[in-house]
């Protein structure tokens, strides 16, 4: 393509489109039809230039012109309650369901790691001695010790808000840092499982594992599931960098990244529920069986939500990404 000839042939059309877009008054019917036609032509011209004779300055000018024209033709779309409902009933659960092959193995391996660390710490006094002095360990594990008073050391509402903030931040870090080949996600997971393993090991060595589980399970089932979902999604995003599949790497990362961003919002809501349980149920005077029962009900409700609503939405084509109409246009790629 001779770029100079091409620009000379179509400059008048681009200038006319720019003039129509700059009009402050309403366009007449004929002008509106002309705007649509010129917009379609400019989009075609932009595609031809990008594929045949890329010129940064000209591409930038036409990209801005086409973007303005697209906004004028399609109008500005505002979010509505229908979008929120679609996200909660289709987008978020479908994204979690589609990532199940990543977060379910992550959950199983992480839980096994925490149990093994707990067994190792609980059966090796020398490891316990390396963690803290004997007096500090007794202060942690005795009845009424720090492990028990931790959940009632602050007002329930403030404690729930603090827990929610910390967990939502950890989940968001897993989702965002996954793009670095998933390596930071593995470290965040290990830190969480190490903390859990230390608690299991120290309390089991003191003969109070049942007390520890009675304090952790009510909120921990849902909380850890949310962390595992975030970690699995982060690892999936990291693998997309390595193997984007039939899509271009840029397109694949954009699609998976948008889905991960939506998942961060959804998981923040899930962690809000687990934080409320940790703040109000875990330190309550309810019997242990009742507190654990509430945690199990919350966990089963989330899994049902994901596998029923999410599975149905995923099978109908929902991916958790924004709708097709709101995505940027992409050029076809060779197989």
């Amino acid at each position: 393509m001779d770029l100079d000839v091409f620009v000379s042939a179509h400059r008048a059309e681009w200038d006319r489109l720019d003039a129509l877009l700059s009009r402050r008054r309403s366009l007449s019917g004929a002008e509106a039809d002309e705007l649509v036609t010129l917009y379609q032509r400019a989009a075609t011209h932009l595609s031809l230039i990008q594929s045949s004779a890329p010129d940064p300055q000209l591409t930038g000018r036409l990209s801005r012109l086409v973007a303005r024209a697209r906004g004028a033709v399609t109008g500005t779309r505002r979010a509505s309650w229908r979008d929120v409902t679609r996200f909660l009933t289709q987008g978020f659960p479908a994204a979690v369901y589609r990532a199940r092959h990543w977060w379910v193995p992550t959950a199983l391996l992480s839980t096994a790691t925490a149990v093994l660390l707990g067994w190792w710490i609980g059966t090796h006094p020398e490891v316990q001695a390396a963690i803290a002095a004997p007096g500090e360990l007794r202060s942690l594990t005795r009845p009424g010790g720090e492990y028990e008073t931790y959940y009632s050391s602050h007002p329930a509402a403030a404690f729930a808000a603090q827990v929610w903030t910390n967990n939502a931040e950890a989940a968001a870090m897993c989702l965002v840092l996954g793009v670095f080949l998933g390596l930071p996600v593995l470290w965040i997971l290990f830190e969480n499982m190490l903390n859990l393993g230390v608690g299991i090991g120290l309390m089991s060595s003191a003969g109070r594992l049942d007390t520890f589980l009675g304090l952790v399970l009510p909120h921990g089932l849902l909380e850890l599931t949310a962390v595992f979902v975030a970690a699995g999604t982060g690892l999936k995003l990291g693998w997309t960098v390595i193997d984007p599949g039939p899509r271009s790497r840029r397109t694949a990362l954009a699609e998976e990244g948008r889905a991960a961003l939506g998942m961060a919002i959804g998981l923040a809501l899930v962690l809000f529920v687990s934080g409320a349980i940790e703040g109000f149920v875990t330190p309550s005077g309810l019997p242990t069986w009742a507190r654990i029962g509430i945690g199990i009900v919350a966990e089963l409700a989330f899994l049902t939500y994901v596998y029923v609503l999410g599975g149905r939405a995923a099978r109908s084509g929902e991916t958790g990404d924004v709708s097709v109409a709101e995505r940027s246009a992409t050029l076809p790629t060779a197989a």
Side-chain angles (χ1 to χ4, degrees), residues 103-245:
W103 63 262
V104 171
T106 297
L108 296 176
L109 291 173
S110 298
T111 302
T113 300
V115 171
L116 287 174
L117 286 171
W119 169 81
W120 181 57
I121 293 171
T123 56
H124 291 75
E126 67 275 13
V127 178
Q128 300 169 31
I131 294 175
E136 294 175 325
L137 295 180
R138 284 193 295 272
S139 177
L140 284 170
T141 59
R142 66 178 175 81
E146 294 179 30
Y147 268 122
E148 291 186 40
T149 58
Y150 168 76
Y151 295 101
S152 55
S153 58
H154 301 284
F159 184 67
Q162 178 184 352
V163 167
W164 174 58
T165 302
N166 292 340
N167 290 333
E169 181 180 350
M173 288 178 64
C174 285
L175 292 168
V176 172
L177 297 179
V179 73
F180 297 105
L181 304 183
L183 298 178
V185 178
L186 296 176
W187 176 249
I188 294 171
L189 267 180
F190 178 74
E191 281 191 322
N192 277 271
M193 294 306 102
L194 179 60
N195 290 333
L196 181 59
V198 168
I200 292 173
L202 295 181
M203 290 294 276
S204 65
S205 68
R208 308 195 66 233
L209 182 60
D210 56 340
T211 301
F212 180 76
L213 294 179
L215 292 170
V216 170
L217 290 180
H219 63 273
L221 290 172
L222 187 60
E223 176 183 300
L224 286 175
T225 299
V227 172
F228 294 147
V229 170
T233 303
L235 292 174
K236 180 184 178 184
L237 188 61
W239 184 253
T240 300
V241 177
I242 300 172
D243 181 14

Side-chain angles (χ1 to χ4, degrees), residues 309-334:
L309 283 182
R312 183 185 305 152
R315 286 188 292 273
S316 68
E318 180 64 56
T319 64
D321 194 1
V322 297
S323 62
V324 176
E326 297 175 8
R327 302 177 199 170
S328 299
T330 58
L331 293 173
T333 56

